[in-house]
Every structure is written in C-alpha cells, then in structure tokens.
Amino acid sequence: MDIKDIQNLIKFVSKAEVAEVSIKQEDIEIKIKTLHSVPAQAGVQQVYVPPMPAAQAPTIPAAPVEPAAAPAAVDEDANLVTVKSPMIGTFYRAAGPGKEPFVQVGDSIAPGKVLCIVEAMKLFNEIEAEVSGKIVKILVDDATPVEYDQPLFLVDPA
C-alpha cells in the first residue's frame, strides 16, 4: 500500500461519514478514526471485505461526483487542467535555494516532468506532470504550506 492509496482511503472515509476503519495486510495495519460520528437515527451496516492478495493493490471506489452549481457563464479557465497537491506539506518551486525553478509560466511540460517539490515530514516528494501542455499559471508561492488537493498549477493541454 503506497501513500496515494492511504490518502485516497482517508479522503473516502471522511466523505463516507464512517466513524472508524481498520485495515490489516501482512505487516501493515492502518486505523482511521474520524471526529464526526454517525447520526443516531442512521442504522449501522457491517460489510465483510475479504482479504486481498499481497501483490494486488487495494482499490478504492471513486467518490460520486456532485454536479456543480449552475454556472453563470463559461469562463476562460474551463479548458485548463488543474494540477493539485497529492498531500499536505510545504510547496517548493526549485530543488534548493538559489536553484532554477522546475517550471515557469509558459514552459511546455510532458507526463513525468517534475513540476515542484512538496515537503512532508522531512521527505521531499517530487510532483510530476500527468498531462502534456503549457504552464499557464502557478497558483502557490514558493515555500508556502499547501493542503491535500489544493490547486498548484493551471495547464493548457492544447
């Protein structure tokens, strides 16, 4: 189980309004407890999940997509792709102080290109592009804290 699977599980549990989830896989045990509890009138449903083979990565059902509020007008950012932070941490545009930023506005990118670094608990995680295109806007200042799923870049995939 990698960090993205754990982050997706946390996000899913918080949206599902479940009070507690516990998962055991060989030498890994994960317990997630939320602060909110299930409403008193709601019934509790238990679900049996069979153990997964060690080689298979866990699959987490996608959260349902909620329709957005009625859009007033189509804005110019509608065709842009948003690159979001996969974790909580500190955003860095370059590999170190005084070094060139990984990308600038106007730079062309391709999948796998490093866009920035997010430091979380003294681990420096390179955030790579998942789409091809051109950097239109950098939404976060260097060396500032970012939240999970916070927009970092706008990319024009054209």
Side-chain angles (χ1 to χ4, degrees):
M1 184 175 271
D2 68 355
I3 189 74
K4 283 192 177 195
D5 293 331
I6 294 170
Q7 290 171 339
N8 287 335
L9 181 61
I10 292 169
K11 187 175 180 182
F12 175 75
V13 169
S14 67
K15 286 185 179 179
E17 296 183 3
V18 177
E20 181 176 344
V21 172
S22 178
I23 296 176
K24 284 186 181 180
Q25 285 185 339
E26 294 178 8
D27 60 339
I28 297 174
E29 181 177 351
I30 298 174
K31 286 186 181 182
I32 302 171
K33 294 182 182 181
T34 59
L35 297 177
H36 63 276
S37 60
V38 178
Q41 66 269 22
V44 176
Q45 178 181 3
Q46 294 184 352
V47 178
Y48 172 74
V49 179
M52 289 187 268
Q56 181 182 359
T59 57
I60 299 171
V65 177
E66 297 178 12
V74 177
D75 66 302
E76 60 193 42
D77 294 344
N79 64 336
L80 300 179
V81 175
T82 303
V83 177
K84 298 180 179 180
S85 177
M87 64 190 67
I88 295 172
T90 304
F91 173 86
Y92 294 104
R93 292 189 56 202
K99 294 192 177 180
E100 284 293 314
F102 292 109
V103 293
Q104 299 278 5
V105 172
D107 287 355
S108 294
I109 60 169
K113 171 142 176 76
V114 176
L115 301 175
C116 63
I117 292 175
V118 175
E119 177 194 4
M121 295 174 36
K122 302 296 180 191
L123 293 175
F124 293 87
N125 303 282
E126 292 182 340
I127 309 304
E128 298 178 349
E130 294 180 1
V131 296
S132 296
K134 186 172 83 171
I135 299 290
V136 175
K137 190 170 186 179
I138 300 171
L139 303 170
V140 181
D141 292 329
D142 193 36
T144 58
V146 292
E147 295 292 325
Y148 172 73
D149 220 22
Q150 178 178 342
L152 303 175
F153 301 94
L154 291 180
V155 177
D156 184 2

